[in-house]
Amino acid sequence: MTLVALVLINTQPAAAWGNEGHTYVNRVAAQKIPATIPLFLRSAGAIAEIGYLGPEPDRWRSPSEFALKNAQEPDHFIDLERVSWLDPLPPGRYEFYRKLYEKRAATTDHPDDYLPERVGLQPYITMEVYGRPKSAFREFRQLRTAHQPTQAVEHAIIFYAGWLGHYVADGAQPLHTTIYYNGWFGLNPKGYTTEHHIHGQFETAYVAANINAKDFAGLVKTPERLEDPFERYVAYLRNSNTLVENVYSLEKTGGFKAKGSPAAFDFTTQRLAAGSQMLLDLWYTAWLESAAPALTEHAAPASPAKAAAPSK
Ligand SMILES: [Zn+2]
């Protein structure tokens, strides 16, 4: 392998959960879809496709597709410590950008830390992708009622459902919600690792060697309808962020080395299950909410961006 290739590999941002973890989270969620959701999303073929799509956005990180890589990399994380002053988070990405640029303008010490692409856009991409299966479910219902073919929209829903799973699983990985995403820095009284290996060691090497989908499938329960998906999703991310130090202390005691420790196994299976549960809850909520007719512009909740940027 050439030096250039080595450097390229080493500078690749870590991909949450690796191939195995993402596939498992999606597959387990798909296997738990209740019978109240149409069969096309629960079939063996759909489950296999949704599993395949778990790692899909991590396939968009190659310099071969520069624009894609560049645009979507901030979608996989959010450094919640950088936005501790912003609670609640605004529901739309452009309102979020505006708040960050205001903060950046008022900051003299490392102002670029507040650039949206540095802070990360995790909850925004997740809700944007969540809207797609919800909208497509609505189309499906209309076509079914009109006795029209539904195969095309079914394919779209399967794709959207699988794509959504990637970001939801990323959000269950504590290191995707923090400035300490791959090594501690600054004050370090507990002596956590400052090496840049913990991220991949936990989510990729340890999971691939020690965890299977069946290890956490039993932890995923029947889905719940989320009254406010964005609020619940942000709470889920904040909960992940409270577990950052757990990852570091497990690493410190060798929990992720080789066969790992029972504590690391419990922690990791619970995080993977949390990802599957949130994904299943979002699919379920999207299906139930799709029964309501689409809001029109007049009925839509007022958006601060609307006055500033009339739709074209
Ligand atoms: Zn990711």
Side-chain angles (χ1 to χ4, degrees):
M1 188 179 289
T2 65
L3 182 61
V4 172
L6 273 173
V7 169
L8 279 176
I9 285 170
N10 286 334
T11 54
Q12 285 289 303
W17 293 126
N19 203 58
E20 284 76 12
H22 274 297
T23 305
Y24 300 158
V25 167
N26 270 26
R27 194 197 300 152
V28 166
Q31 287 166 340
K32 301 270 170 164
I33 294 174
T36 50
I37 290 183
L39 181 62
F40 75 84
L41 200 57
R42 300 179 275 122
S43 69
I47 292 170
E49 187 162 352
I50 288 169
Y52 168 81
L53 290 167
E56 182 71 356
D58 283 339
R59 301 175 181 125
W60 300 338
R61 293 171 174 272
S62 166
S64 305
E65 292 80 38
F66 172 78
L68 175 60
K69 170 183 168 61
N70 182 262
Q72 67 90 43
E73 277 183 339
D75 294 343
H76 300 253
F77 66 92
I78 183 166
D79 290 352
L80 285 173
E81 298 88 351
R82 296 244 189 269
V83 288
S84 55
W85 48 276
L86 190 54
D87 188 11
L89 294 177
R93 81 159 53 216
Y94 293 107
E95 290 73 38
F96 183 61
Y97 289 177
R98 194 176 308 185
K99 293 282 185 198
L100 291 177
Y101 278 107
E102 285 168 11
K103 179 77 172 174
R104 180 172 175 251
T107 300
T108 50
D109 186 26
H110 295 89
D112 285 353
D113 285 349
Y114 295 102
L115 287 170
E117 64 271 31
R118 294 256 186 104
V119 172
L121 300 164
Q122 233 288 316
Y124 297 100
I125 187 69
T126 304
M127 293 315 296
E128 290 156 9
V129 179
Y130 165 76
R132 288 168 164 98
K134 184 181 158 196
S135 160
F137 274 140
R138 204 160 51 226
E139 294 295 319
F140 169 83
R141 287 176 186 272
Q142 286 167 4
L143 290 167
R144 190 176 61 174
T145 302
H147 303 290
Q148 298 290 311
T150 54
Q151 199 180 29
V153 72
E154 290 172 14
H155 282 298
I157 291 167
I158 291 166
F159 175 76
Y160 295 144
W163 181 19
L164 177 65
H166 182 86
Y167 303 114
V168 176
D170 276 358
Q173 210 290 43
L175 303 188
H176 275 248
T177 66
T178 178
I179 55 175
Y180 304 108
Y181 78 99
N182 195 20
W184 203 265
F185 57 90
L187 287 177
N188 191 4
K190 294 179 186 164
Y192 295 140
T193 183
T194 55
E195 301 282 321
H196 303 307
H197 62 60
I198 184 172
H199 197 114
Q201 184 190 20
F202 167 48
E203 71 179 18
T204 305
Y206 172 75
V207 170
N210 295 289
I211 311 270
N212 274 303
K214 64 173 171 41
D215 293 327
F216 68 92
L219 302 173
V220 180
K221 308 299 177 203
T222 52
E224 175 197 349
R225 181 176 189 161
L226 308 177
E227 282 309 317
D228 183 338
F230 180 71
E231 184 190 50
R232 288 291 295 273
Y233 192 74
V234 172
Y236 161 83
L237 293 176
R238 292 195 193 284
N239 179 58
S240 269
N241 182 260
T242 67
L243 302 171
V244 170
E245 284 205 50
N246 299 52
V247 182
Y248 277 85
S249 58
L250 285 167
E251 189 278 343
K252 194 181 166 187
T253 52
F256 302 128
K257 273 199 188 131
K259 293 231 170 287
S261 66
F265 181 85
D266 287 348
F267 178 81
T268 308
T269 49
Q270 281 166 24
R271 292 322 301 155
L272 291 164
S276 282
Q277 187 72 62
M278 175 54 74
L279 177 57
L280 182 59
D281 290 352
L282 285 169
W283 290 338
Y284 183 65
T285 303
W287 167 248
L288 295 177
E289 289 195 352
S290 73
L295 294 173
T296 62
E297 275 294 311
H298 286 297
S303 153
K306 232 161 106 182
S311 56
K312 297 196 173 69

